[in-house]
């Protein structure tokens, strides 16, 4: 009985966090967009993210340390969630791991494909024009400093926000997962939100 009430209290707290993220007066995080994936094909958030939980991360392939560390963690999170909620589980829609570059001039589809293969086979890499990337970053409230109109061979620094954005199957923002979260803690948060979901899902 004590366990039930504790579990229900934790579930209600997760629901409060998810609902607070959609609250009136709060800036919306996320939205519809179209980019190009690592295979050079058009990728639509409306078609691919609808009905699935998504874990969205913004970074760039020339990042020397933080992005590789966070993508390693993302890969661990995916595997941990898959163990906790196997595909046969009715509460497990596919968790979509999405890497959106903040450096479209250098991160072409072939570059993204080669880079992401080092981390996890399910990772989706997205790129586009500078204007498209800027628009998506704005949707997700992501700061990035990539200059516009860079020429091939130019050297420059890129600074950006460092969060994983957990989105629900309706495309709504649930929770931001930061660097202080271990892979185990992050996977537990994701798995709990996925288990709580009562709406439609796509396998």
């Amino acid at each position: 009985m004590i366990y039930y009430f504790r579990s229900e209290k934790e579930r209600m707290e997760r629901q409060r966090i998810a609902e607070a993220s959609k609250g009136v007066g709060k800036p919306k995080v996320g939205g519809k967009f179209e980019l190009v994936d690592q295979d050079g094909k058009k990728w639509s958030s409306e078609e691919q993210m609808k009905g699935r939980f998504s874990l969205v991360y913004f970074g760039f392939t020339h990042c020397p340390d933080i992005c590789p560390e966070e993508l390693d963690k993302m890969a661990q999170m995916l595997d941990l969630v898959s163990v906790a909620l196997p595909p046969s589980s009715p509460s497990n829609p596919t968790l979509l791991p999405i890497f959106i570059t903040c450096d479209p001039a250098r991160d072409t589809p072939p570059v993204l494909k080669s880079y992401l293969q080092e981390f996890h086979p399910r990772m989706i890499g997205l790129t586009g024009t500078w204007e498209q990337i800027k628009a998506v970053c704005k949707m997700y409230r992501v700061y990035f400093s990539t200059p516009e109109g860079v020429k091939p061979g130019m050297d420059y620094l890129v600074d950006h926000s460092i969060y994983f954005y957990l989105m629900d199957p309706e495309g709504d923002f649930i929770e931001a997962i930061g660097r202080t979260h271990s892979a185990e803690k992050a996977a537990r948060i994701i798995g709990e939100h996925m288990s709580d979901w009562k709406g439609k899902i796509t396998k």
Side-chain angles (χ1 to χ4, degrees):
M1 184 65 73
I2 293 174
Y3 173 78
Y4 170 79
F5 283 115
R6 183 180 298 135
S7 298
E8 187 64 11
K9 182 179 179 181
E10 291 173 352
R11 185 191 68 79
M12 291 178 69
E13 175 62 15
R14 291 193 298 273
Q15 185 177 10
R16 184 194 67 78
I17 291 171
E19 290 300 322
S21 301
K22 309 173 190 177
V24 176
K26 284 184 173 290
K28 179 177 172 61
V29 175
K32 299 177 184 178
F33 61 85
E34 288 188 356
L35 293 172
V36 176
D37 69 15
Q38 70 263 48
D39 293 316
K41 298 177 181 177
K42 186 176 79 170
W43 198 93
S44 165
S45 63
E46 180 69 6
E47 294 175 5
Q48 303 295 331
M49 295 172 71
K50 197 75 170 178
R52 298 178 175 92
F53 277 85
S54 303
L55 193 61
V56 183
Y57 182 78
F58 292 79
F60 64 111
T61 65
H62 282 68
C63 180
D65 43 29
I66 294 175
C67 290
E69 290 173 3
E70 292 300 280
L71 289 176
D72 272 336
K73 185 164 75 176
M74 190 182 204
Q76 293 177 54
M77 288 153 59
L78 290 172
D79 290 340
L80 288 167
V81 169
S82 293
V83 170
L85 291 172
S88 58
S89 169
S91 63
N92 183 19
T94 302
L95 178 61
L96 216 55
I98 302 170
F99 174 87
I100 301 178
T101 181
C102 293
D103 186 13
R106 292 185 292 197
D107 289 346
T108 61
V111 170
L112 285 176
K113 187 166 188 173
S114 175
Y115 181 72
L116 293 177
Q117 284 175 345
E118 300 294 322
F119 297 99
H120 201 284
R122 283 174 48 203
M123 283 189 188
I124 297 166
L126 301 177
T127 187
T129 65
W130 186 88
E131 290 80 8
Q132 287 175 315
I133 295 299
K134 180 182 179 183
V136 178
C137 286
K138 186 176 181 180
M139 288 179 192
Y140 280 81
R141 312 295 169 191
V142 170
Y143 163 79
F144 82 112
S145 65
T146 311
E148 184 179 7
V150 295
K151 306 298 182 186
M154 284 180 61
D155 191 24
Y156 53 91
L157 297 174
V158 176
D159 192 15
H160 61 90
S161 305
I162 307 168
Y163 289 100
F164 294 101
Y165 297 84
L166 180 61
M167 312 298 289
D168 74 18
E170 293 180 352
D172 289 324
F173 170 69
I174 299 176
E175 191 166 345
I177 298 172
R179 293 189 70 196
T180 57
H181 290 74
S182 67
E184 291 76 14
K185 182 178 180 181
R188 185 169 65 252
I189 290 170
I190 294 167
E192 287 169 347
H193 280 298
M194 291 172 72
S195 294
D196 291 340
W197 182 253
K198 303 302 181 186
K200 293 182 178 180
I201 60 173
T202 299
K203 289 290 185 181

